[in-house]
Amino acid sequence: MADRKALAHLLRRATFGPTAEEVDAAERAGLSATLDALISPAGDDAGAARTPVPKLPPVVNEKTDRAAQIRTVGYWWLDRMVQAEDQLHEKLTFFWHGHWATSADKVKYGPLMLGHQQTLARTALGDFGTMVRAMVRDPALIIWLDGQRNTVKAPNENLARELMELFTLGVGHYTEQDVREGARALTGWVVDPKSGTASLNPKRHDAKPKTILGTTADFDADGFAALLLGQPACPEFIARRLWLRYCGDNPIPEAVLAEAKRQSTTAAMLRVLLLADGHAELVKQPVEWLVGALRQLGLRPGDMPEQQRKQLQGGLNQLGQVPLRPPSVGGWPAGAAWLTTSATQARLKMAQLLAGKAPQPVLDRIGAAPKGQRADALARLLVVDAFTDRTRAALDAVAGDPRRLLALGLASPEYAIA
């Protein structure tokens, strides 16, 4: 039977950040049953039901109203991450956002970014092939990677290149000729931003035979996707990406990789990886850090006035990770990149903001413990295995002030690790 530490580790990796009560429930259920419930939850997600897909404000002024639409989607998604009970699904959806990194900075249309998020959510747990076929015709991704400029007369290679390099195969598994021929397979797609749809214009599509990865056929977008999905490098690439983001930067054990590659869905692959030995220390991404803290403190962005929601978004911007705005097609960095001096200062500022908003019952849970045990009560609240002696000394020094204690706990090195 797994101990509390192992269960807390699983929940920190599989979700945005577990509450103490969720770890208690996992102790009663056991490791395997807990993971089963995370991957295949029973019943509807009541938390998601509290965050219905937003109706975006109409566009009257192109510049200001489009920016308002993007803000609305961003606020909604942050609230959804906090409220969702199907936390594994919600976190995996955000993983895919970093994988198919598409930014509103270029797309600019709120409905397209919302549709992009919904496609990721719909396909997050299932067969990767379904996701790839959906993404090659995703309007936001097409705009982001210049797919609407890709025509039979003037092929644009951006989408074909990233489809192979960053999304399905990885470097070294294709040639420049494959990129050129793949671009021809993806020609002809056009986006109607007003309707939020993408469609194939036959007059702009190259219907002639192409030779890609050694196979010659009249490839179109679906045929190209199927060819990529059939490459042995594809499941290995996805397994390694999931391992890096969920398990750390230790090399994935060969037996674990082999087992993961045999799985037919992303959910099944992730289950293999989460149960495997060999996990490394993993630094929380800023969104993961913030969403976990909000969940553990019982704070809901959707209940906050707009000024406070802006503060949360501003904090994420200072931390370097804002949903809907990945810095490049390569997505966000991992690991020690989040542990810079400026990031540490931004986390402390955000921690102070969150501690200032913490409801009284949360503070009472800490303050009810004797002074010398309040650091332990804080560790339980934040699902931290243990604070180091150095951190504990700093916490003990402010134990008489639960809000300061909470702020330091949220900003501690131990809380930055999943």
Side-chain angles (χ1 to χ4, degrees), residues 6-83:
L7 290 161
H9 173 86
L10 168 68
L11 290 171
R12 284 194 298 265
R13 297 298 173 94
T15 75
F16 278 114
T19 64
E21 291 75 19
E22 287 169 341
V23 182
D24 292 341
E27 275 196 294
R28 293 189 294 270
L31 186 67
S32 183
T34 295
L35 188 50
D36 287 343
L38 285 167
I39 290 176
S40 302
D44 296 329
D45 188 334
R50 292 191 291 270
T51 56
V53 176
K55 294 182 179 179
L56 300 183
V59 173
V60 178
N61 181 293
E62 281 288 321
K63 185 174 181 180
T64 60
D65 293 345
R66 294 220 178 279
Q69 285 187 336
I70 297 295
R71 282 197 303 274
T72 297
V73 178
Y75 291 157
W76 164 79
W77 197 2
L78 185 62
D79 192 39
R80 175 69 170 251
M81 292 178 199
V82 174
Q83 286 289 293

Side-chain angles (χ1 to χ4, degrees), residues 226-362:
L227 181 65
L228 297 177
L229 291 161
Q231 301 300 304
C234 184
E236 178 169 337
F237 180 73
I238 298 304
R240 290 185 183 278
R241 286 295 295 267
L242 286 166
W243 177 268
L244 175 66
R245 295 293 183 173
Y246 279 86
C247 306
D249 58 6
N250 278 359
I252 182 172
E254 287 300 320
V256 174
L257 178 60
E259 180 65 18
K261 287 162 55 178
R262 285 194 286 268
Q263 306 308 308
S264 60
T265 66
T266 299
M269 182 179 284
L270 186 57
R271 190 182 200 284
V272 169
L273 301 180
L274 288 171
L275 288 176
D277 294 328
H279 290 197
E281 198 170 75
L282 194 63
V283 179
K284 293 177 182 176
Q285 298 181 74
V287 167
E288 182 182 2
W289 178 89
L290 176 60
V291 172
L294 290 167
R295 296 188 76 239
Q296 289 161 347
L297 301 186
L299 296 172
R300 178 181 175 183
D303 291 337
M304 297 178 182
E306 175 144 353
Q307 183 56 37
Q308 293 183 7
R309 285 183 286 169
K310 283 184 178 179
Q311 288 178 310
L312 296 181
Q313 292 280 38
L316 286 175
N317 188 50
Q318 289 182 333
L319 287 166
Q321 187 178 48
V322 179
L324 307 182
R325 299 185 187 278
S328 72
V329 70
W332 288 284
W338 300 117
L339 297 179
T340 63
T341 301
S342 61
T344 300
Q345 293 172 341
R347 262 199 314 275
L348 178 58
K349 184 178 179 180
M350 281 290 285
Q352 292 168 335
L353 175 69
L354 295 174
K357 298 181 186 306
Q360 192 60 45
V362 171

